[in-house]
Structures are given as C-alpha cells and as structure tokens.
Amino acid sequence: MHFSLFVAAVLLANDAEFFETSVRPVLAKNCSACHNATRLGGLAITSRESLLKGGNTGPAIVPGDPEKSLLMQAVTHTHARLRMPPTAKLAAPEIDALSRWVRAGAPWPVSAPPASTDHAFWSFQPVSKPGIPEAADARWAGSAIDRLLHAKHRSEKVTPVRRAAKHVLIRRATMDVTGLPPTPEEVKAFEDDPSPGAFAKVVDRLLASPRYGERWGRYWLDMARYADGALGASSDTPFANAYRYRDWVIQSLNEDLPYDTFVKAQIAADRLPGSKHLAALGFQALGGNAGDQLDVTTRTFLGLTVACAQCHDHKYDPIPTSDYYSLLGIFRSSPKHEFPLAPEDTVKAYKAHQQKIEDAKFELDFFVKTRSAELSEFLAAKTARYLRAAKLVLEQGKSVDEAARQAALDPEVLGRWVAYLPQKDKDHDFLDLKGGIDEFQSFVTDLFRRRRDMEERNYVKLGGIKGIRDERTRQYTNLESLPIIEYYLWRDLASDPYRKDFFDFKGGIYYYGEKDIDRWLSPEWKDHLDRLRADLKSLKDSLPAQYPFIHTLREAEAPKNARIAIRGDEQNLGEEAPRRFLRALSKGEPAPYTSGSGRLELAEAIASADNPLTARVVVNRLWLGHFGYGLVRSPSNFGRLGERPTHPELLDYLAWRLVDSGWSLKGLHREMMLSEAYALASDLDQANYAKDPENKLLWRANIVQRLDAEALRDSMLAVSGTLDVSAGGPPKPFEDGFRRRAVYGYIGRTKPDPMLTLFDFPNPNNTSELRTVTTGPLQRLFFMNNSFVAEQAAALAARLNSQNVSAEDRIETAYRLLFSRPPKPAEVQLGLDFLNKTGSWPQYAQVLLSSTEFSSIP
C-alpha cells in the first residue's frame, strides 16, 4: 500500500475540520459569553485577528508557540494572575485542542459561501455509470478504468511510461494485498509464466489468501479507532473481548461480505436477522460516547464532517445543526451492551459474585473514608501547632523528628507540612491571613465543621447509602459544595488522591487511606478493617474467569430524540430534533425514524444504492490503497472543504461497478489491480512531470513509498522465517517471543507500542483515514540498535547459512528473499567485501534489513 507524505490541500482541509470540531466549540462554550461583544478585559475571540490584537494584557496568542501565548497560560492556570475560565480549569482534551491549534499557527478558516441545500454539490449528485470512451491505444483497451484514464492522458497530452518489470509488479501486488513480500518461488513462477493471464492468476491467489483480510482489515481498524482497551490514567483499562470485532472485520473481508452488509452490521447488527454479525458493533461499542460514534460513523461511511454542525450550522456543507442532533438522538438511544456468549446461569452466577465483590469493596472503602474523615478533622484541630513546629524546621533548621517530639505531634504529618509550605503557586492564599497562625487555625476549624455539616445534608439528599452507591443518583442530585477557593484549601489538607486530566493530586496533608491508616486505629477498629480486607480478598480469589461476551449496542427501553444544544452548550437546550437521516442525502424532508432507536433505518439509508456517497467513499479508499492517493485526496471529507475528484467519471464508474457487482470489494480490488495503470513503472518523464508534477493523471506509478509499521515488522519476520501466521484470538503484547502478525498484537490507547509509534502507527483514540509518513534519525537508529531487528537479522543469517552453498549464492538468496530480485554484480561484490572484513552474516543481514529498498513498495 502506498501513502502520501503530505498533501497540502488535505492539510488545509484538516486544519479547518479540526478548528470547527475541536477548537470553535471550546471557545464558544467557555469563552464567548465574556469575550464576544462584551470584550471583557478588552479581549474579543471573534477572529484570529482579534486574538492577535489581544486585550488589556497584550496579544492572546503567539501562533506556533503555545507556551508564550497568554490564552494557553490562562486556560492551563500557569499564569501568575490570569486563570480562565475563572470557575474551573478546562478539561484536558479541550486544553490539548487549543494547544495543538496554536502550535499549528492558529488557523481560523474563512467561512465559505453559504452551503446550498439543493443537492447541487458534486458529491451529493446521484451515482450513474458514465460513458466509457473507445480506446485509441490497444495497450489501454483492456478495461473501463484504463479507457477512462487514457482519455484523460490524451486530452492533457501526457504519455504514460512503460510497464513495471515483472518482479516489481508482483512485489507491489503482494505487499499491497497481504502486507508481506512475495517468496522467491512466487516471483519465479510469475516470471516464468508467459500467458496473458499470468498476473490475473497472481491477483486471484492474493485475494484468496487469508493474509488479505489481515492487511486490509488493519486499515479499516484505523478508521474504527480500534484498540484493546479504554484510555486510562497510566494504562489501559483492558477490553478482554475487543478482539472479536477485529476478527470479524478480517473474516468479513476474507469472505468478501457484501459491503452494504458490512456497513449495516457495524451500525445495527443487533437489528439484523440472526446473530452472525453481532461482533461488528465493536465499531460503535469500543469507541467513545454518542458524539464520537456519530462523528466516526459519518466520516467513515459517508465522508462527511457532520460533527462540525454540533454548535452551529455547518460552515461549508448543507448540514444544519438540527441534523447533527437528529443523528445524536439515534446513538444516545443505543446504549453499549455486553452480549454474553455463555449460558444464562453462568452469567448470573458471575454477576452475583461480582456484586458481592462490589459490596465488600464498598464496605471497605466506606469504613476507611469515614475513619479518614474523622482523623482529618482531629488533626485539623492541631493545625496551629503543626504550623509552628514546621516553622522551627524551616526557619531554625531543626529536624522533623526533634520538632515533632518537642510539640508532641506526629512526625509524618509534620513532615508533610514541611514539604507543603514552601510550595509555590498554591491554588489558595489562606495561609497569608493577616491574623497569622491563630486566625488560620480558626478558619480551618470552621471550614472542616462547615464541610462536615454540608456532607451530612448531602447524605440526606442522596437518600443514604443507597444513593451514595448509585452513580446516576449522585450525578443528578443537586449536591452542595464548598466555594472553589475554600475547596482548594480543604483539598490540600484532607482530600484523597485523584488524577484529573493532567493534574495528579497525591493526597491531602491529613489524609490517610486504606494503605496507611492502620496505625491510627484502635485495636477494635483495626481488627474490623483486617476482616473487611480478608473478606474482599477471599471473594476476589474465588471469582471465576469472566464468561466471553461481545461488545455491542442495544436498543434503549425508551428511545428519545435529542434536544438541540444551543451553541453546543448542554445547559442551554432548544427544541427536539427528530431522529432521522441527513436532509442533504434525502429526497425531500426526511421522515422521522419510528423503529426503536432508528439505527437500522440509519444503516439502511447509509448502505443504500441510492446514497450518492457510500459507494464513492469506499471505492476511493480502495483506490488510495493501491495507487497511493485517492481519486479524492481527502478520503474522509467529500464536502466543500475536501478536494474535488481528479477523475470524476472514473470515480462514478467504480462506485456504479461496486453496486452493480453486488457490493463485492474483492471484485473491485481485482479490477483496479488488473488495470494497465496499476502496472506502470515509477519512471520519471520530465515532459509529463512539467505538466503534472503530482501525478494526478496517473502517467506513472507513484514514487516508492515506505512500508507502514505493521508491514515493516511483519516482513522482517517473514524473510527471517520466524513469522507465525496463526490467525485470530486474544491479542498479545509486542514483547519478546510474539511473532504473529502485528494486527494480532495488543493495541493500547494509553501506551502504544514504541516501534509502531516510531513508524507512524495512527493514534487509536481518533479515526484515521490516512497514514502519515515521517522520517527521522530515530528510525535509522532503530534498525541499528533495536533488539527485534538484531534477532531477525540473526534468524535470517541462520536461514541463509542453512544452505550448503557458496557465499555468492547465499547473497543471491538474500536479495531474492528481501527484494524479490537477484543482486547486481556490484551488490554481490559489496556483500563479499563486507563479509570478508567482518565475517558476520548477522551484521550483513541487518544491513540488508535496514535498507530503503526492503522497507519500501516499488
């Protein structure tokens, strides 16, 4: 598969998409109320220019430098005075979005002319089979693809280059379809076959290989933002059954499941007859919330940025805000569900045991929390004594133990005060009270008393223990809280540890939790705590392995429409948006959905042959995979901000052909790969290049492209003879001994595999339609120093030396294994010279594995 390094227009479109989906909503939600017409502090955020002008304290942004931008200093609360919003710090994803935006130069796209709703834009036009021109050249007469392309060649006066050599073509095709290099035997069989259908035999063999689904399934998983766990603070919360979705994708592609069924299953498999495709709902269930599901579904299947309409009508495409909330209601009415693959009694027994664990854990946590709160209040009453003792340590140089002994205080608590007092940038200034230590003691005593009274009132509001344990009750009960500044003081004194966004709070000075409260407890309390611990451990130890299940969705008991959030603010709701399809893709006013959540109706609308986008989007993705660029070079944006198709007639022919063939993806792969265009060499023709430097007319194969991370790793295993081709099942970490294909390795959201990341594996927290390609010194150092590369080099050397042949013959075998060709005489001599100097076949093998030719597709 080929990948583009950078496509300027795509980046421009992506900047606009990112601004509309990730930046504008943050500004609208958190800043607009004070910094629009009101211009508090002299600052308006109505344009890039207004931010550059800034307010009373200077420019709000320094494009390209978030650290120097007042906006970022304010929202991260790192500025000495400015902290915005004043009520609470922004969520980490919001801060990250603003930081990425400023670092990218703070692009603020100019609004396009109002989007038309009359379906006039090219991508909303119905798909129809175009007229296929007659071929003026027998070389380009073989298929409709070639005749359409060559008509463009003639009209633009470019002359295609020669066909690629047979060893280049089979390597290209094999890497494209399977992600593995061809064997020397496969190359020889193709080179020795003079029949006109020789390459067709190769393509048919490759498409029939189970390796096809593994290769192309991995690219689908990019768009599905697949991972084997949920994002966590320091590590993933594992999804033990996520792999069932991955295996379903691979199997479905290998079986050539009709694409319309492939689409429907990933939206509404639970509403389709039978349960064969239930695992397909991992597309939805392994991701985020309803908004994330909506965004990924519309980008992946429709090539539209519907999520840009969350806060306002889409700035570029005919998607009103009400359409966004129409779809949102569908996904909100489809909660996530774990469909068991075990007998009902097994499921009930497991859940009952789990509930006992939850009950025991709650009893333990509640006991510790209660005792800890009492202890904190007791210690808080000694605050003045602790402060005076801490001053002796900090100002007079006494040791903590000596000062604690003199004041009859606990040394550990005193040590915490000694560590806390010198800290700068505290979130409160109560330690600076004019009345000194005694006034501060009075304030702390009153603060703890008021918080205790407040917690007692909240306990009553929640309805006691039952309400405390119920998350929904806690979420929707109007609980009291301390004023934010007073809370910061109480937090620093008594709060338990927590991690929120980028803030990692280690616990208050007086806080003692389950791990360290024992020494403060009386014998009776300590005995009770030990019993609670023992009960919980016994229950955990006796918990059986969890039954297998599938990550799916289900229908809500009472599906309901979403209400429009004015400017994206969920606290400011407008009218309901009926659950239905997008107006731009409907004939007339779309009818409201009436069958449950509406997911099945949505799936049928998306996968309909009448939908002008679905077939166009997927055939463009296939073309991108084989030719390096899509016919539309913005593969997930077919709207106004996306690129226009370079060959609109060809795109429509392929879309028509897909539907006409019964939605067969393999049939389309075959037709593309058997075209003359696919077989072109990558030669540079200066006359053609002067007219078409980006090769949009496809007068040659796109320049050599680096293998993606998985294909690079898997190819090293393949040529060294250590690849394990067993398929499916639970993932394993990328550690020593894991030799299966990378698609079966553990994909983490929190800590992705370093090798995959180094070679541009996409972030599984986002949908990714294109693989970026970066180059840097660490990649070269990887080939020089990484133990995995060294191990495969040693295995390759052993494979070469297992043959009782000359060094020249072993070098030739290496070249045929790695590069699908024999070496040139000069390359043989270079190899012999290297071996004569070093005597090391593993080092020689490592040099070959490190070569650009091995890590590239011709």
Side-chain angles (χ1 to χ4, degrees), residues 3-26:
F3 303 99
S4 58
L5 178 58
F6 286 106
V7 181
V10 173
L11 292 179
L12 179 61
N14 286 344
D15 282 345
E17 286 180 25
F18 181 71
F19 179 81
E20 296 297 344
T21 58
S22 301
V23 178
R24 194 190 292 274
V26 175

Side-chain angles (χ1 to χ4, degrees), residues 807-808 811-812 815 823-833 844:
E808 290 88 342
I811 289 172
E812 178 170 346
Y815 270 72
K824 299 172 184 176
E827 291 170 328
V828 174
Q829 190 58 51
L830 279 173
L832 292 173
D833 291 345
Y844 177 65

Side-chain angles (χ1 to χ4, degrees), residues 456-627:
E456 290 175 354
R457 291 192 296 272
N458 286 339
Y459 183 85
V460 173
K461 289 182 179 181
L462 289 166
I465 295 293
K466 183 178 180 181
I468 291 175
R469 296 192 61 177
D470 182 68
E471 183 178 352
R472 185 175 180 83
T473 301
R474 295 197 306 270
Q475 182 177 354
Y476 290 100
T477 301
N478 187 20
L479 300 176
E480 297 180 44
S481 60
L482 291 170
I484 188 65
I485 300 300
E486 292 187 356
Y487 163 77
Y488 287 143
L489 171 60
W490 177 85
R491 178 200 65 190
D492 289 357
L493 294 178
S495 173
D496 54 338
Y498 67 90
R499 185 184 180 101
K500 184 177 181 183
D501 304 329
F502 298 113
F503 184 65
D504 187 8
F505 182 68
K506 301 300 185 183
I509 294 171
Y510 297 142
Y511 174 79
Y512 282 85
E514 197 262 322
K515 294 181 179 179
D516 52 11
I517 199 172
D518 297 53
R519 71 182 181 86
W520 296 95
L521 301 178
S522 68
E524 287 297 326
W525 287 131
K526 177 67 167 57
D527 182 67
H528 182 68
L529 177 59
D530 289 342
R531 182 179 61 79
L532 291 174
R533 287 169 172 159
D535 289 347
L536 178 59
K537 184 178 184 302
S538 175
L539 286 168
K540 286 183 174 180
D541 290 345
S542 59
L543 178 69
Q546 187 174 14
Y547 55 87
F549 63 87
I550 299 172
H551 293 275
T552 67
L553 302 182
R554 62 175 176 82
E555 294 290 274
E557 294 181 4
K560 61 181 181 180
N561 298 328
R563 292 175 62 187
I564 297 173
I566 308 300
R567 288 183 8 198
D569 183 359
E570 290 291 340
Q571 305 302 315
N572 185 16
L573 298 178
E575 62 184 12
E576 282 190 359
R579 302 191 306 284
R580 59 186 182 182
F581 198 39
L582 299 172
R583 297 177 199 178
L585 298 177
S586 303
K587 296 177 181 177
E589 189 74 3
Y593 291 156
T594 57
S595 176
S597 65
R599 265 187 303 115
L600 179 57
E601 293 160 292
L602 174 64
E604 290 171 339
I606 289 177
S608 169
D610 294 330
N611 187 322
L613 283 170
T614 303
R616 282 185 176 125
V617 168
V618 73
V619 300
N620 188 63
R621 296 193 193 282
L622 265 60
W623 190 271
L624 162 69
H626 289 305
F627 290 88

Side-chain angles (χ1 to χ4, degrees), residues 1-3 216 219-220 222-223 259 295-304 613-632 634-638 651 654 665 668-669 672 767-770:
M1 178 162 183
H2 304 286
F3 303 99
W216 285 80
Y219 296 129
W220 187 263
D222 289 0
M223 293 181 287
Y259 184 70
D295 183 37
V296 175
T297 297
T298 52
R299 284 178 186 267
T300 300
F301 298 123
L302 298 174
L304 290 178
L613 283 170
T614 303
R616 282 185 176 125
V617 168
V618 73
V619 300
N620 188 63
R621 296 193 193 282
L622 265 60
W623 190 271
L624 162 69
H626 289 305
F627 290 88
Y629 298 90
L631 296 170
V632 176
S634 53
S636 287
N637 190 347
F638 275 46
L651 180 65
L654 294 171
L665 294 180
L668 216 56
H669 280 293
M672 290 179 186
T767 180
S768 301
E769 71 274 13
L770 281 171

Side-chain angles (χ1 to χ4, degrees), residues 320-342:
T321 301
S322 58
D323 274 12
Y324 172 86
Y325 288 95
S326 289
L327 297 187
L328 188 66
I330 296 171
F331 290 103
R332 282 183 176 173
S333 297
S334 307
K336 295 178 182 180
H337 175 60
E338 295 177 355
F339 182 85
L341 299 173

Side-chain angles (χ1 to χ4, degrees), residues 61-80:
I61 57 172
V62 179
D65 196 337
E67 288 73 21
K68 292 183 180 178
S69 297
L70 280 175
L71 171 68
M72 296 310 304
Q73 294 172 17
V75 299
T76 56
H77 290 194
T78 57
H79 192 274

